[in-house]
Amino acid sequence: MTEPREDTRTHRGVVIPDNWPGYCLDLFTYPEYYSGDLDCVYIPHGVIMDRTERLARDIMDDLGDHDIAVLCVLKGGHQFCSDLVDRIQVLNRHSSRSLPMTVDFIRLKSYLNDHSMPDIQVIGAESLSVLAGKNVLIVEAIVDTGKTLQTVLTQVQACKPKLIKVAG
């Protein structure tokens, strides 16, 4: 009997072992002002952009022709969100179908004068009412403990969107 094949859509993605030394700096060019600060490169920019394009394709496949409201969590999510939206727009231009998008921004504040606050403040939450009945894609740079993401999810769910997906 053969083993069942793993579904690639549920795969964890790129896995970097804890003891992996990274790529040698001699393989890359980087600004001189980083000289002495870098030991290695763990994930080259090209790999990140390739994964971003794959994610854009997955979003297009999942949402079909349904419009989407992208909610970018600032400040950290800005560049990733920009790259992801750009990739979706390129795919839209080269596709027979289209995924209409709007992009909105919120910012989370969990520190006051370098001290962590017990509650996370959502700046820009007053404009979230436009998400009612829409497909929402929350774009976050890093999901660590999940505390900030849970706060955003609670705020967005209160607006009663049709669907919520998270990219981070």
Side-chain angles (χ1 to χ4, degrees), residues 146-161:
K147 183 178 175 184
T148 56
L149 181 58
Q150 188 57 52
T151 300
V152 173
L153 284 170
T154 300
Q155 293 276 333
V156 172
Q157 287 168 339
C159 298
K160 306 216 183 305

Side-chain angles (χ1 to χ4, degrees), residues 107-139:
R107 187 168 174 202
L108 303 178
K109 187 174 181 180
S110 59
Y111 287 89
L112 181 63
N113 298 328
D114 296 335
H115 297 292
S116 180
M117 299 186 304
D119 295 321
I120 298 172
Q121 181 182 6
V122 180
I123 301 168
E126 63 278 353
S127 65
L128 294 181
S129 62
V130 300
L131 302 177
K134 295 186 179 176
N135 296 314
V136 178
L137 175 66
I138 299 170
V139 180

Side-chain angles (χ1 to χ4, degrees), residues 11 26 56 83 90 116 120:
H11 193 272
D26 293 341
D83 291 341
V90 167
S116 180
I120 298 172

Side-chain angles (χ1 to χ4, degrees), residues 73-132:
V73 180
L74 296 174
K75 294 181 182 179
H78 175 263
Q79 188 62 55
F80 173 53
C81 184
S82 177
D83 291 341
L84 182 60
V85 167
D86 285 347
R87 298 309 325 155
I88 292 171
Q89 288 173 335
V90 167
L91 292 171
N92 272 332
R93 283 193 297 270
H94 297 96
S95 174
S96 60
R97 56 195 181 119
S98 179
L99 181 65
M101 278 188 300
T102 59
V103 180
D104 285 299
F105 302 90
I106 59 169
R107 187 168 174 202
L108 303 178
K109 187 174 181 180
S110 59
Y111 287 89
L112 181 63
N113 298 328
D114 296 335
H115 297 292
S116 180
M117 299 186 304
D119 295 321
I120 298 172
Q121 181 182 6
V122 180
I123 301 168
E126 63 278 353
S127 65
L128 294 181
S129 62
V130 300
L131 302 177

